[in-house]
């Protein structure tokens, strides 16, 4: 009896320690974001950046955010980023779902070798691919258009791998039953497996959205026309032009630039948790 009580007490202490450690990590991770939002509301930050950093604005004002929402170039960059991100996410997630299903349930020659080739793309960072991709799009005269940003995510090794792992968890008996009813592969996918793929699709959407929205290096290489600049490019050019002056306005721009990611994550959060929970059940 005494041993059981001691064990429960030890568990409570361990849980409390874990909670405190996670709380500390959470505060440390959130502090830069809170500071960024706070500086955006600080009118005096446009004179000089506050040092040492403070979380409470010296002169609380919505002036910087008002200027941001009246900024025509930011609105244009928002529209450009929205076009690129929505299109590339739709194309990338759709193609990855189909490819993942084929690698998981399909029966065709060379499947394992082809899947290894897809996995190998995960080992090659973006930097070595810049020159070949640049030459490729230059040869078809697509530089300074949105196509170089939209087409490469068509084959995304990470998303295809996630899809295959998800479909591997679903029983083959569903496919066999549909085949007995005379359904073809596309009907089996769209009628049987696709309705079950909501959690993994939501996870892929948020991952692809973050990658596309935050992408800076590749758009910097292929977009020379300022009218086509995406949000990260506009934010970088604004920071270079103004340096540490107009710090409050820069932080307000940075805050507004991440709002779409936060909105998408909050909207899809429930499905992402479901996806993680399904993976956990499989792991048991």
């Amino acid at each position: 009896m005494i041993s059981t009580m001691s064990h429960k007490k030890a568990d409570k202490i361990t849980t409390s320690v874990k909670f405190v450690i996670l709380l500390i990590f959470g505060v440390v991770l959130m502090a830069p974001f809170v500071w960024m939002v706070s500086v955006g509301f600080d009118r005096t930050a446009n004179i000089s950046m506050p040092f040492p950093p403070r979380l409470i604005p010296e002169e609380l004002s919505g002036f910087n955010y008002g200027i941001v929402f009246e900024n025509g170039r930011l609105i244009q960059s928002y529209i450009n980023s929205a076009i690129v991100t929505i299109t590339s996410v739709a194309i990338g997630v759709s193609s990855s779902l189909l490819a993942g299903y084929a690698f998981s349930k399909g029966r065709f020659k060379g499947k394992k070798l082809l899947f290894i080739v897809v996995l190998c793309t995960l080992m090659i960072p973006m930097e070595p691919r810049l020159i070949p991709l640049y030459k490729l799009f230059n040869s078809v005269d697509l530089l300074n258009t949105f196509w170089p940003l939209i087409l490469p995510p068509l084959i995304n090794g990470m998303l295809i791998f996630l899809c295959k792992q998800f479909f591997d968890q679903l029983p083959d008996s569903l496919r066999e039953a549909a085949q007995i009813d005379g359904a073809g592969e596309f009907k089996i996918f769209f009628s049987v497996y696709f309705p079950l793929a909501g959690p993994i699709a939501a996870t892929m959407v948020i991952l692809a959205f973050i990658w596309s929205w935050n992408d800076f290096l590749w758009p910097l290489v292929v977009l020379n026309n300022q009218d086509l600049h995406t949000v990260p490019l506009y934010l970088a050019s604004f920071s270079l032009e103004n340096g540490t002056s107009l710090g409050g306005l820069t932080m307000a721009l940075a805050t507004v630039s991440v709002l779409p990611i936060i909105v998408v994550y909050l909207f899809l959060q429930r499905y992402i948790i479901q996806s993680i929970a399904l993976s956990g059940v499989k792991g048991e």
Side-chain angles (χ1 to χ4, degrees):
M1 183 68 178
I2 295 175
S3 175
T4 303
M5 293 180 62
S6 300
H7 185 68
K8 288 183 177 178
K9 189 176 180 180
D11 285 344
K12 286 183 178 179
I13 293 174
T14 304
T15 304
S16 300
V17 171
K18 290 180 179 177
F19 177 77
V20 171
I21 292 173
L22 289 174
L23 183 63
I24 293 172
F25 272 105
V27 170
V28 171
L29 291 174
M30 284 297 296
F33 180 78
V34 174
W35 176 75
M36 179 178 71
V37 177
S38 171
V39 173
F41 281 106
D42 193 343
R43 181 69 183 274
T44 60
N46 283 332
I47 302 173
S48 62
M49 286 292 284
F51 187 83
R54 56 175 180 265
L55 295 180
I56 300 176
E58 183 176 296
E59 183 181 340
L60 184 62
S61 169
F63 173 79
N64 293 325
Y65 288 95
I67 294 295
V68 165
F69 287 110
E70 294 175 358
N71 189 320
R73 283 190 61 195
L74 176 66
I75 294 173
Q76 182 60 48
S77 67
Y78 245 86
I79 295 172
N80 296 339
S81 283
I83 293 172
V84 170
T85 302
I86 292 173
T87 310
S88 64
V89 168
I91 292 175
V93 171
S94 301
S95 63
S96 298
L97 281 170
L98 288 169
Y101 173 76
F103 282 122
S104 175
K105 305 299 181 186
R107 302 288 184 268
F108 55 89
K109 289 184 179 178
K111 186 176 81 169
K112 290 184 179 178
L113 177 61
L114 191 58
F115 187 60
I116 291 173
V117 173
V118 171
L119 292 182
C120 287
T121 62
L122 299 177
M123 305 174 191
I124 305 174
M126 185 61 191
E127 288 77 6
R129 289 183 283 168
L130 283 178
I131 295 177
L133 283 173
Y134 181 88
K135 287 186 174 180
L136 174 64
F137 285 106
N138 186 40
S139 64
V140 291
D141 198 24
L142 287 180
L143 295 180
N144 273 317
T145 69
F146 291 142
W147 289 112
L149 309 183
I150 292 172
L151 293 178
L154 185 66
I155 301 175
N156 188 311
M158 175 59 76
L159 297 186
I160 293 173
F161 175 75
L162 289 176
C163 282
K164 182 186 179 301
Q165 295 300 103
F166 179 81
F167 286 121
D168 282 347
Q169 300 174 29
L170 301 180
D172 292 340
S173 56
L174 296 174
R175 179 170 177 268
E176 294 166 358
Q179 283 179 328
I180 293 174
D181 291 338
E185 286 296 340
F186 278 102
K187 188 172 183 180
I188 293 173
F189 173 75
F190 286 108
S191 301
V192 179
Y193 286 97
F194 183 73
L196 301 174
I200 191 63
T203 304
M204 291 162 56
V205 166
I206 186 64
L207 289 175
F209 192 95
I210 292 173
W211 293 337
S212 179
W213 188 270
N214 287 338
D215 194 10
F216 174 76
L217 181 59
W218 179 234
L220 181 66
V221 172
V222 296
L223 297 179
N224 293 324
N225 187 349
Q226 286 194 344
D227 292 337
L228 300 177
H229 276 187
T230 55
V231 171
L233 292 183
Y234 171 68
L235 189 58
S237 63
F238 184 87
S239 300
L240 287 173
E241 291 171 4
N242 297 283
T244 56
S245 62
L246 300 180
L249 191 55
T250 303
M251 291 301 175
L253 283 168
T255 303
V256 173
S257 71
V258 300
L259 284 181
I261 295 175
I262 296 173
V263 171
V264 171
Y265 176 77
L266 292 177
F267 182 71
L268 299 176
Q269 182 184 22
R270 180 166 59 93
Y271 298 101
I272 295 172
I273 293 173
Q274 285 180 10
S275 175
I276 296 172
L278 285 173
S279 302
V281 171
K282 180 66 176 177
E284 292 177 354

